[in-house]
Amino acid sequence: MQTPDPIDPYANVPTASVYDTFAETATKLSGRYTRLADTASSPEEREEWWQKVLALRDAKRAVPAHDRAQLIAHIQQWQAALTELQESRG
């Protein structure tokens, strides 16, 4: 079995599929942030999570669909954020 390239773990995947993973990861993280905003214990906390939703939306819109390096960088960043949320909040 071939080990994934640490620089491009999607080396054998078409860029269109990488974009799909990018969009799906953004949707998962946005959903998590939205849920956290909806269940926040204070208006300040709600606003903090909602600002993350908006920043994620803006970041997603700023990445060109053909820019493989940016797509991968964001996938990795957002997957790390999802993992961190999962580990810290259960």
Side-chain angles (χ1 to χ4, degrees):
M1 182 173 186
Q2 185 178 2
T3 58
D5 180 341
I7 296 171
D8 186 355
Y10 303 95
N12 298 317
V13 177
T15 301
S17 295
V18 175
Y19 180 82
D20 289 343
T21 301
F22 165 84
E24 181 180 338
T25 306
T27 298
K28 286 179 184 177
L29 185 55
S30 180
R32 188 68 188 262
Y33 287 160
T34 300
R35 184 168 63 89
L36 290 166
D38 290 345
T39 60
S41 60
S42 70
E44 294 79 18
E45 182 184 3
R46 180 176 295 114
E47 181 63 21
E48 180 182 331
W49 289 117
W50 187 245
Q51 288 305 313
K52 288 181 181 270
V53 171
L54 298 178
L56 178 65
R57 178 203 63 193
D58 293 345
K60 182 180 177 217
R61 289 178 178 174
V63 176
H66 63 276
D67 190 331
R68 188 177 187 89
Q70 279 195 61
L71 293 171
I72 292 169
H74 280 81
I75 290 168
Q76 291 171 337
Q77 176 186 353
W78 295 339
Q79 286 176 337
L82 281 163
T83 299
E84 183 179 323
L85 286 170
Q86 182 68 27
E87 290 174 356
S88 69
R89 295 191 173 264

